[in-house]
Amino acid sequence: MAQERIAAARNRAAELRRELDEHNYRYYVLDAPSVPDAEYDRLMRELVELETRHPELVTTESPTQRVGAEPLAAFTEVEHLEPMLSLGNAFDAQEVHDFDRRLRELLDVVEIDYVTEPKLDGLAVSLTYHDGRLTVAATRGDGRRGEEVTQNVRTIRGIPLRLRGDVPPLLEVRGEVFMTRSGFVEYNRQAEARGEKPFVNPRNAAAGSLRQLDPVVTAQRPLNFCAYGVGRVDAELPGRHSEVLQRLRDWGLPSSGEVEVVCGSDGCLAYHAAMLERRDALDFDIDGVVYKVDRRDWQTELGQVARAPRWAIAHKFPAQEELTRLLDVDFQVGRTGVLTPVARLEPVFVGGVTVTNATLHNMDEIARKDVRIGDTVSVRRAGDVIPEIVGVVAERRDGGERAVELPPACPVCGSALVRDEEASAVRCSGGLYCPAQRKQAIRHFASRLAMDIEGLGDKLVDQLVDAGLVASVADLYRLDVEALAGLERMGEKSAQNLVAALERSKATTLPRFLFALGIREVGESTARALATQFGDLPALREADVEALQQVPDVGPVVAQHVAAFFAESHNREVIEALRALGVRWQSHEPRPAADADAPLAGSSVVLTGTLEAMPRTEAKARLQALGAKVAGSVSKKTAFVIAGSEAGSKLAKATELGVEVLDEADFLERLAIWERD
Ligand code: JCF
């Protein structure tokens, strides 16, 4: 009887392992997952339970064994069966043409097919499989001997512990261990939440994770693997490198999904250009592309020089990260008065351009990275985003560095600074008195999605404010050709065009106008929601915080900003002036209130905590459709409070005041009834 049960358990364990391995293969090699993650997790849980009940069924290749083994005291060295090669580099098109011509001459052929692939920015490893079982994994080391990292590598889900199909007695696979960008961002987010130091970039994260003495730590890092070649193989392999990559995939080893076979150096260069174009859209960092002669007999004929094969080359991209010196830190004042520290750098060529400034985000960031003036810093520029400082090379300090300090007052207008703890920001309190804030308020007002004033660019706004011609957005509509033509670099014709564009912009829409006002936290979509709810400006202007919160997507913070904006007499005056100068839009009926006999007509409801079944915004909209007023705080007038999980002070307040509390289940039940009525 017991024997039968054990046999059944053994069979089930084998089946679960087969299924899990198959899902892994589909996910990592075919890039075509066949089941949702939840199903994978369910199978895994079942296997873990089975193995817990029957420890004798555990095998070293079981997918449950990827959680990490006992920590090591030190790494040991292993000798690679075949040396691990590195790659020569090409930095421009000429060097690629030279490479191709050299090979054609050596081989005495007219044309060569190349296998091209992205060059991953990770860590090279060699995996040894005996009879299809992963036995040894090692870093590249000096190419002949590397450090053994088998226990760590076994935790990487993309690396098969057993190969599939007809496997050779011995196989050395070469590839790159790396971390995806999304995995890196998510990992750092969690690390920071735990109060740990984040990684500087995915490459450092991958290297740090693999060179860990404790495999349990490695198991928690989102590492991936991509095979790019082989070392020693005791089996006949196909004649082309592209076919070898396919054979590796058949054995269950992931290789790049971006591999192509191209013809000649022109084909290589086209691939390089296309990859460079897509670089920022990829979920992994690459530092170039690799070209390899496809025919393996030609590879053998070409051989190698020093430690690099003659038949392959890495065509590098411009670096996205470089070291330079931080000369100084200035503070820029944004539209809402936030001071942003900006690094002034010794010019450095990074990501294809010369960078002299980089953002430091805010003071907390500076403290966290311990950035000091005079430091050697690592500057990163990816795509079109603003360059940023990713870290400091503390080892290069000579003691002459000094701390970055906040200025005592706004560097533009001298107004006092106020701290906004929540946003880890510091603001200038000058408002529109501050020329920096004024300039940016005007730029925003004129921008395409706001009033769309064609031809009113940033430089011109600066000129207008500096010349004292424009102090508020209303002044824009007081400009005439004569005043404009007096500005530097402004001809009669441009002045006329700008006046015409200003005139055109006066006929606008309420959502655009509201967005253009630059109310804090009111973006395009909130502006649209406000316009829909209130129909016209007078109703919105008079709305209190409670009424504003009835707008879908408007919470207490935004409601507060909107109310405060309209309470400011200066803002009301500017709006009046704009209307008097001809700015106009079509008003419409406010959103109809739910009818008086709606199930929740006239009752005030408060939502708190997290609902599982729907987002808060949806719950709010459905309650409103039933006639309820959704309020932000609990009072004696509150009809009931809907408390999701982790509800806090509002729930306590409701209990204190004796207000009815519905949990999520009660709420959903009643919602179904109300919505049916
Ligand atoms: O992606 C890489 N970092 C990469 C490195 C790709 C390759 O095809 C390589 C490599 C290092 C050596 N091939 C060799 C021969």
Side-chain angles (χ1 to χ4, degrees):
M1 219 27 221
Q3 219 103 63
E4 263 170 53
R5 253 204 335 271
I6 291 170
R10 175 172 294 118
N11 288 340
R12 181 62 184 151
E15 189 177 310
L16 286 167
R17 283 178 201 137
R18 219 172 14 251
E19 269 192 64
L20 286 161
D21 284 346
E22 180 68 21
H23 292 320
N24 252 4
Y25 170 69
R26 294 185 144 268
Y27 186 90
Y28 288 103
V29 181
L30 302 184
D31 198 17
S34 50
V35 294
D37 289 352
E39 172 66 5
Y40 183 92
D41 295 342
R42 198 189 62 71
L43 296 171
M44 187 65 110
R45 263 199 312 276
E46 189 184 341
L47 183 57
V48 169
E49 277 165 27
L50 209 55
E51 290 180 353
T52 312
R53 267 186 286 125
H54 301 278
E56 71 279 10
L57 296 184
V58 179
T59 67
T60 42
E61 273 89 33
S62 176
T64 58
Q65 300 306 297
R66 295 195 190 265
V67 288
E70 292 291 304
L72 299 174
F75 292 110
T76 50
E77 279 207 338
V78 280
E79 193 157 336
H80 302 302
L81 302 174
E82 292 275 333
M84 273 184 92
L85 302 174
S86 58
L87 292 169
N89 290 320
F91 292 96
D92 58 32
Q94 192 53 53
E95 290 177 359
V96 176
H97 288 306
D98 292 347
F99 164 76
D100 176 57
R101 183 162 29 74
R102 196 163 60 239
L103 300 200
R104 282 187 286 111
E105 283 169 6
L106 286 167
L107 294 166
D108 196 19
V109 297
V110 291
E111 198 170 77
I112 299 174
D113 280 345
Y114 294 98
V115 175
T116 60
E117 67 184 345
K119 183 166 183 293
L120 291 167
D121 211 357
L123 200 75
V125 295
S126 182
L127 310 177
T128 309
Y129 287 87
H130 282 97
D131 293 323
R133 287 189 154 83
L134 177 64
T135 47
V136 180
T139 61
R140 182 174 177 282
D142 64 6
R144 279 186 42 242
R145 305 165 66 80
E147 276 175 333
E148 204 207 309
V149 287
T150 315
Q151 296 305 335
N152 290 343
V153 160
R154 294 179 70 89
T155 68
I156 301 174
R157 259 183 67 186
I159 293 181
L161 301 176
R162 284 186 76 163
L163 299 180
R164 306 161 58 90
D166 201 3
V167 299
L170 182 61
L171 171 68
E172 258 187 324
V173 181
R174 268 65 196 271
E176 200 83 358
V177 167
F178 66 102
M179 198 180 278
T180 59
R181 287 183 180 152
S182 47
F184 164 77
V185 168
E186 177 58 22
Y187 179 80
N188 265 359
R189 203 182 56 72
Q190 292 176 9
E192 284 193 64
R194 287 193 299 267
E196 292 166 20
K197 207 171 142 69
F199 282 112
V200 168
N201 57 37
R203 203 206 102 78
N204 288 10
S209 302
L210 203 59
R211 301 195 69 265
Q212 258 292 330
L213 289 169
D214 186 355
V216 174
V217 173
T218 312
Q220 283 148 16
R221 308 280 169 84
L223 296 176
N224 295 50
F225 175 75
C226 176
Y228 57 69
V230 292
R232 170 120 161 246
V233 192
D234 288 355
E236 201 62 46
L237 284 178
R240 287 183 177 262
H241 179 64
S242 49
E243 295 166 335
V244 172
L245 291 176
Q246 183 53 48
R247 179 69 54 88
L248 292 175
R249 272 178 224 126
D250 295 341
W251 282 330
L253 290 154
S255 57
S256 176
E258 309 286 342
V259 173
E260 282 178 30
V261 179
V262 304
C263 184
S265 50
D266 286 337
C268 290
L269 293 175
Y271 182 83
H272 180 269
M275 252 339 179
L276 188 53
E277 188 73 29
R278 288 186 44 216
R279 182 185 202 181
D280 297 319
L282 300 173
D283 194 26
F284 41 85
D285 280 358
I286 62 179
D287 59 356
V289 293
V290 182
Y291 312 136
K292 290 181 176 171
V293 172
D294 195 16
R295 276 183 63 161
R296 297 195 346 119
D297 55 339
W298 287 0
Q299 290 185 358
T300 310
E301 198 174 327
L302 289 164
Q304 63 191 67
V305 264
R307 300 215 189 107
R310 218 182 244 118
W311 43 266
I313 198 163
H315 186 178
K316 299 301 256 321
F317 289 159
Q320 285 184 303
E321 228 178 280
E322 287 289 354
L323 296 181
T324 188
R325 246 169 59 88
L326 176 61
L327 302 175
D328 205 353
V329 174
D330 287 343
F331 288 84
Q332 243 165 29
V333 183
R335 176 161 66 83
T336 60
V338 173
L339 262 65
T340 304
V342 179
R344 303 297 175 207
L345 304 168
E346 204 154 273
V348 60
F349 193 70
V350 44
V353 300
T354 300
V355 169
T356 52
N357 302 315
T359 180
L360 279 159
H361 302 291
N362 55 53
M363 293 306 283
D364 289 353
E365 183 88 357
I366 291 176
R368 200 171 58 74
K369 291 180 177 157
D370 188 22
V371 176
R372 305 179 200 172
I373 294 166
D375 265 337
T376 298
V377 292
S378 182
V379 178
R380 184 177 168 81
R381 178 184 175 275
D384 295 328
V385 303
I386 303 166
E388 62 169 351
I389 289 186
V390 290
V392 169
V393 188
E395 299 75 44
R396 298 229 188 140
R397 284 187 178 150
D398 62 10
E401 297 74 19
R402 57 197 168 83
V404 179
E405 276 171 50
L406 264 182
C410 172
V412 178
C413 73
S415 297
L417 299 180
V418 286
R419 210 165 248 291
D420 178 345
E421 295 295 347
E422 213 161 314
S424 28
V426 177
R427 279 197 168 74
C428 159
S429 61
L432 292 180
Y433 165 75
C434 177
Q437 292 184 59
R438 202 183 306 150
K439 284 175 183 173
Q440 288 180 83
I442 296 168
R443 286 179 188 179
H444 172 76
F445 183 81
S447 64
R448 204 170 47 80
L449 299 173
M451 298 300 282
D452 193 19
I453 305 171
E454 223 176 301
L456 186 54
D458 294 358
K459 288 258 160 54
L460 187 50
V461 171
D462 290 353
Q463 269 181 294
L464 290 168
V465 173
D466 292 340
L469 287 174
V470 172
S472 80
V473 292
D475 291 339
L476 288 172
Y477 295 107
R478 298 187 175 109
L479 291 169
D480 55 26
V481 174
E482 197 186 343
L484 284 168
L487 293 171
E488 228 173 285
R489 290 187 306 272
M490 171 70 78
E492 173 92 12
K493 184 75 194 141
S494 325
Q496 278 168 358
N497 287 344
L498 183 61
V499 169
L502 281 161
E503 195 55 40
R504 272 198 308 279
S505 75
K506 288 180 185 173
T508 186
T509 64
L510 182 56
R512 275 181 179 272
F513 182 73
L514 291 176
F515 175 57
L517 291 174
I519 305 166
R520 271 178 67 186
E521 305 282 338
V522 177
E524 248 198 297
S525 79
T526 304
R528 219 174 301 120
L530 288 168
T532 307
Q533 179 90 2
F534 294 97
D536 203 359
L537 201 55
L540 171 60
R541 206 167 40 198
E542 303 314 322
D544 59 15
V545 170
E546 193 76 353
L548 287 163
Q549 282 195 63
Q550 299 312 306
V551 179
D553 265 343
V554 172
V557 174
V558 180
Q560 194 58 53
H561 285 319
V562 175
F565 181 90
F566 288 111
E568 177 69 54
S569 63
H570 173 82
N571 291 333
R572 285 175 176 252
E573 284 160 23
V574 170
I575 292 171
E576 280 319 307
L578 286 167
R579 304 204 38 141
L581 286 159
V583 173
R584 59 195 178 274
W585 55 84
Q586 208 108 61
S587 58
H588 56 83
E589 289 300 305
R591 202 166 71 151
D595 42 19
D597 49 342
L600 299 180
S603 32
S604 172
V605 177
V606 173
L607 281 163
T608 182
T610 314
L611 298 174
E612 299 296 321
M614 66 186 86
R616 180 91 75 101
T617 47
E618 183 187 333
K620 182 169 163 181
R622 288 168 73 171
L623 286 163
Q624 287 172 337
L626 292 162
K629 268 182 65 176
V630 180
S633 58
V634 182
S635 74
K636 277 199 294 259
K637 282 183 282 175
T638 306
F640 52 86
V641 170
I642 297 160
S645 58
E646 278 151 65
S649 63
K650 289 179 196 171
L651 176 57
K653 185 80 184 287
T655 320
E656 184 191 315
L657 294 177
V659 171
E660 187 185 3
V661 176
L662 307 185
D663 66 15
E664 178 160 1
D666 298 334
F667 168 55
L668 293 176
E669 206 171 297
R670 295 219 203 156
L671 192 63
I673 297 167
W674 293 323
E675 289 183 341
R676 197 173 54 218
D677 287 346

